[in-house]
Amino acid sequence: MTVNTNQGFWKKATGITLTAVMGVSLLAGCSSDSKENAANGGKATEGSSAKRVTLKVEVFDRGNSPAPQTITNNFLSKLVQKNFGDPNNIDVQYVPIQRSEEVTKLNVLMASDSDVPDIVFTYDSSVFYRYAGQGGLTDVGKLLDEYGPNLKKFIGDETLAFGQLDGKQFSIPGKRAITGRYSSYIRQDWLDKLSLPVPKTTDELYTTLKAFKEKDPGKLGSKNIPMGMALAPAQFETLIYSFIKPISGDLTYSQRYELPLHEGFKDAMQFMNKLYNEGLISKDFGLDKDKTQLAKDIQNGNTGYWSEDVDAQFYKDGTMDNLYKNVPGSKVTPVDVYTNAKVDNKYIKSRYASNGMYIMIPKSSKRAVEAIKYLDWMSTGNNLIDIYNGVEGENYDMVDGIPVVKENVSQEFADRLFNGGDMAIISNGKNLGDQATNEKAWVMGFPKNNQEMLKQSIAIANTDTVGPIVFGKPIEGEAQYGTTLTDKLDVIIVKTTMAKPDQFEAVYEQEMKDFMSLGGTKLKEELEQAVKELPAK
Amino acid sequence: MSKASYLRRYWQLYALLALPIAYFVIFRYGPMYGVQIAFKDFNLFQGIGGSAWIGFDAFREVFGMREFYTTLRNTFMLNFLDLIVSFPAPIILAIMLYEIRSVWFKKISQTLLYIPHFISWVIIGGIVYQLFGNQSGMVNEVLVGLGLDPVPFLTEKNPWLITYLFTGVWQSAGWGTILYLAALTGVNRELFEAAEVDGATRLKKIRYITLPSIKPTIITLLILNLGKMVSIGFDRPYVIGNTTVREYSDVLSTFVYRIGLESGQYTQATVIGLFQAVVGLVFILGSNYISKKTTGDGII
């Protein structure tokens, strides 16, 4: 008898196991096909009278949530729930996506339409065009008219145009408050020690760097780095832009990997090669893609001259504060030195377009209306200011219409705002009015001791800028070759810079040939055609 | 015994087997459903079923990419070098550990040798950069201090290859000794005693007793390694590689990551994955066949 029960159990167990296994594997295989929105369905059915729904919103996770807050449950998420969610009978739920893996994670989420948030975003235009082209996004044109009048006004028609494809509004581009990007800096105390003037042109910079190298004003020996360099845009773009001829007036191709298609790119690489071979730039720049080594060298006082994102160094306990602490007597001056011989020796540098990230509502989302309402709410009243600055009277005071951040607030208050910039998706930077007001508001958010230098940096970042051409349609070659060429650009820069001077020509020729054959040629033809088709101004 | 009574008698053992079988069905066979992406113009929003068939178009496109051949060459090159350098390392290490007479010393060395295996590649990458950087690396600082020229460990082809290979040995050799040591515990001690009586030296004992007794293990692992020639882990080349040596550090796995996950060309990425699987199968069957012919030992 016992034997029989055992056998029966065994048969049953096998049956159950196999069924479960097959079921699971089928589910795993088909999950991308299922059109059911489980999460929403569950919520919508509870309580028939009050139809409370869940709105899922993507949020960048930078791993910097101060305890006890988390990226999905924090001061700002509660603020949103209280002021937007509860009055509208909506549960706002945040879906964290790790910042550094944003696009990869988003691809996975978009493929599984049961988990995808109702609001997603990306900075990468080719990702937006791909989703739109494959028919995965909601056309929000009508919804905006109906539910988002404030939002529409806030963003403005000019910026909204960035989110259109074939006349359909497939995304809502965030609005960028400040378009200046980069500034450069020099160690004033090194100049003073050598009785040198502040350089004003590329040639003068070269002479200064030479002096930094030979006279070693910081007494650093082998640690001396006359010019800080990294394999990152803020460092090489500033230099390259000062050698290239923009495509038309103050506009040029928008993507970084399109720089090699400009006249003058070779001269930029030649200059880099000279700097490298004469030992004027950091030897390990090719390994430093995330600028950690660069920042370390600057903070330790080893670097004489460098370029950086305009705001990057001025945060509390940031690079600048650390340098002053580590090297007593050090002094830094923001400078504008790269002159462009092809554009009347102007200080040509790149600027952002007026849009920020592309905010998108997946086609599978059943909460498109609520999503627009959420974004519209964000653009009304004081909401955006509060998201960026916290509670009035506790975190900031309004002075002449500009929120001024209070110094020395308690840690608890300061911790409220760790994700302010990431929550305010419709606004990249503090949008209060015109650019000058925005800049003023931005500066006010920094520690007092750095505000003056940041102001000078912004002024430099806004001088002689060149912006991206807006074609109003996707460039096929960008979607197709973008990733490959981005990678190739890094290789070109590293290879040509590190080549021996007498081999520069050969290396440059070889690398450019590669670049063109990897898609550069097709991209170039398409871009040139697109430029021709642009409506005359 | 009949089959049914066998099952009845050992049902607990079969129940234990259910888990590994479930693992293979769910994680190895289930995903094969997705292989069809290679033959489809995969649209993220229409899913696998909804995308249109395109036959071998994607294969033609991938085989026309120059990057594909560079990464394939690098995959073979790095794996082949790894086979030469990293494959013998655990064998030598295992024999050395086996020969150690002092128990406490043996235990401590084993533990120390295992540790690197548990460090993630991301962290190893950080350590490598700190040690071998040109300007700020500790090793080069010492070299410069001694009046020598710095060695571009990370930024030039050959020095980089050496860095890559020896980081691999450092990370995995200790852990790799486990299988060999396990095989060695089965060796009859009397063999050694008999050899000693016959006046065999230590090296002779290693050559005629130790090595032959782990030969089947060596062959099994060698065949498995040959089967992996065309597939390569993602972490190590991605973390140790950098832009300056991209021509040599870019391998199939990093390539798949770039075009598949970063730029969303899933069809092409699946093509490469399928290609790797097919070539891997050919390699493993081929090396098994050769091994059976020459040594009589095989795994299938």
Side-chain angles (χ1 to χ4, degrees), chain B residues 196-240:
Chain B
E196 234 159 84
V197 173
D198 288 344
T201 61
R202 210 168 229 219
L203 283 177
K204 275 195 174 148
K205 276 188 278 179
I206 289 175
R207 179 151 176 226
Y208 293 107
I209 303 172
T210 318
L211 273 178
S213 47
I214 56 172
K215 198 178 88 178
T217 317
I218 296 180
I219 288 171
T220 310
L221 288 179
L222 187 66
I223 293 174
L224 288 175
N225 268 314
L226 282 173
K228 286 192 221 138
M229 274 306 259
V230 76
S231 67
I232 189 163
F234 171 77
D235 325 27
R236 186 164 154 219
Y238 186 75
V239 165
I240 309 286

Side-chain angles (χ1 to χ4, degrees), chain A residues 3 9 21 29 35 104 107 130 134 136 222 231 283-284 287 293 296 483-484 487 490 494-495 514, chain B residues 8 11 14 25 33 43-45 48-49 66-67 130 134-136 242-244 246-247 261 263 266:
Chain A
V3 173
F9 167 76
V21 161
K35 291 276 173 234
T104 14
N107 279 337
R130 194 170 68 234
Q134 293 193 346
S222 70
L231 196 55
K283 279 195 198 106
D284 285 332
L287 306 175
Q293 191 61 43
K296 225 184 271 174
T483 347
T484 308
D487 208 56
D490 281 352
V494 165
K495 288 267 161 189
D514 266 14
Chain B
R8 201 180 312 135
W11 71 268
Y14 282 100
V25 171
Y33 171 77
N43 183 318
L44 211 55
F45 304 101
I48 299 177
R66 212 181 52 102
E67 270 180 302
Q130 292 295 318
N134 287 341
Q135 191 144 23
S136 48
N242 63 68
T243 314
T244 54
R246 178 54 49 80
E247 284 164 81
L261 288 178
S263 44
Y266 297 103

Side-chain angles (χ1 to χ4, degrees), chain A residues 18-30, chain B residues 25-27 29-31 33:
Chain A
L18 282 178
T19 323
V21 161
M22 285 169 77
V24 170
S25 62
L26 275 176
L27 279 180
C30 304
Chain B
V25 171
I26 295 173
F27 294 108
Y29 289 92
Y33 171 77

Side-chain angles (χ1 to χ4, degrees), chain B residues 38-56:
Chain B
F39 306 95
K40 286 189 160 187
D41 183 14
F42 182 63
N43 183 318
L44 211 55
F45 304 101
Q46 282 158 12
I48 299 177
S51 303
W53 293 97
I54 52 164
F56 282 92

Side-chain angles (χ1 to χ4, degrees), chain B residues 12-261:
Chain B
Q12 288 101 332
L13 291 179
Y14 282 100
L16 280 179
L17 190 66
L19 268 183
I21 288 180
Y23 166 82
F24 274 95
V25 171
I26 295 173
F27 294 108
R28 299 285 158 177
Y29 289 92
M32 282 187 194
Y33 171 77
V35 167
Q36 52 174 312
I37 292 177
F39 306 95
K40 286 189 160 187
D41 183 14
F42 182 63
N43 183 318
L44 211 55
F45 304 101
Q46 282 158 12
I48 299 177
S51 303
W53 293 97
I54 52 164
F56 282 92
D57 282 4
F59 284 83
R60 254 166 259 157
E61 191 190 326
V62 167
F63 294 146
M65 286 175 169
R66 212 181 52 102
E67 270 180 302
F68 172 71
Y69 295 101
T70 321
T71 50
L72 183 63
R73 182 204 67 189
N74 290 343
T75 308
F76 276 123
M77 177 183 75
L78 293 181
N79 275 337
F80 182 70
L81 290 174
D82 236 3
L83 200 63
I84 294 174
V85 177
S86 317
F87 186 72
I91 302 176
I92 298 168
L93 209 56
I95 293 173
M96 281 158 72
L97 284 172
Y98 188 65
E99 293 295 323
I100 292 175
R101 292 282 166 261
S102 152
V103 176
W104 65 268
F105 184 72
K106 185 173 170 178
K107 286 217 163 125
I108 289 177
S109 344
Q110 260 181 295
T111 313
L112 285 178
L113 286 166
Y114 293 164
I115 287 175
H117 175 79
F118 297 101
I119 305 179
S120 106
W121 273 109
V122 178
I123 293 168
I124 296 179
I127 298 175
V128 167
Y129 277 55
Q130 292 295 318
L131 282 178
F132 296 112
N134 287 341
Q135 191 144 23
S136 48
M138 208 158 77
V139 174
N140 273 325
E141 266 182 37
V142 171
L143 287 180
V144 171
L146 293 170
L148 299 166
D149 283 333
V151 181
F153 288 108
L154 298 172
T155 50
E156 251 170 52
K157 186 190 173 188
N158 292 327
W160 179 79
L161 278 177
I162 291 170
T163 314
Y164 174 86
L165 290 172
F166 281 92
T167 327
V169 171
W170 177 80
Q171 197 259 358
S172 63
W175 186 251
T177 58
I178 287 187
L179 280 176
Y180 296 112
L181 287 173
L184 283 171
T185 51
V187 180
N188 192 343
R189 279 271 157 194
E190 282 174 21
L191 286 174
F192 290 97
E193 281 155 25
E196 234 159 84
V197 173
D198 288 344
T201 61
R202 210 168 229 219
L203 283 177
K204 275 195 174 148
K205 276 188 278 179
I206 289 175
R207 179 151 176 226
Y208 293 107
I209 303 172
T210 318
L211 273 178
S213 47
I214 56 172
K215 198 178 88 178
T217 317
I218 296 180
I219 288 171
T220 310
L221 288 179
L222 187 66
I223 293 174
L224 288 175
N225 268 314
L226 282 173
K228 286 192 221 138
M229 274 306 259
V230 76
S231 67
I232 189 163
F234 171 77
D235 325 27
R236 186 164 154 219
Y238 186 75
V239 165
I240 309 286
N242 63 68
T243 314
T244 54
V245 289
R246 178 54 49 80
E247 284 164 81
Y248 312 106
S249 68
D250 203 9
V251 292
L252 285 174
S253 55
T254 52
F255 184 48
V256 168
Y257 175 75
R258 217 168 46 237
I259 68 167
L261 288 178

